[in-house]
Amino acid sequence: CHHVTGECSCPPGWTGHDCKLPCSSGRWGRGCATSCACDGSDGGCAPATGACSCQPGFTGQRCQ
């Protein structure tokens, strides 16, 4: 937490006042500020890394 404001600095993939909320579907990274860049996925990616979650029949870094 910030020593003056008390605001939490959440690790990638987490958000909220006390960093207990995972990123919503389609978002990832520090502050959940980055959109998932996955083509043939279920719309989601790993909240901490942005790795795509591919649907059956799709493969590749972006499920293309």
Side-chain angles (χ1 to χ4, degrees), residues 2-41:
H2 190 274
H3 69 282
V4 174
T5 66
E7 182 180 351
C8 292
S9 177
C10 301
W14 296 93
T15 189
H17 176 70
D18 53 5
C19 300
K20 291 186 178 180
L21 300 172
C23 292
S24 61
S25 181
R27 309 293 298 174
W28 72 280
R30 187 164 302 279
C32 302
T34 308
S35 295
C36 295
C38 308
D39 295 332
S41 75

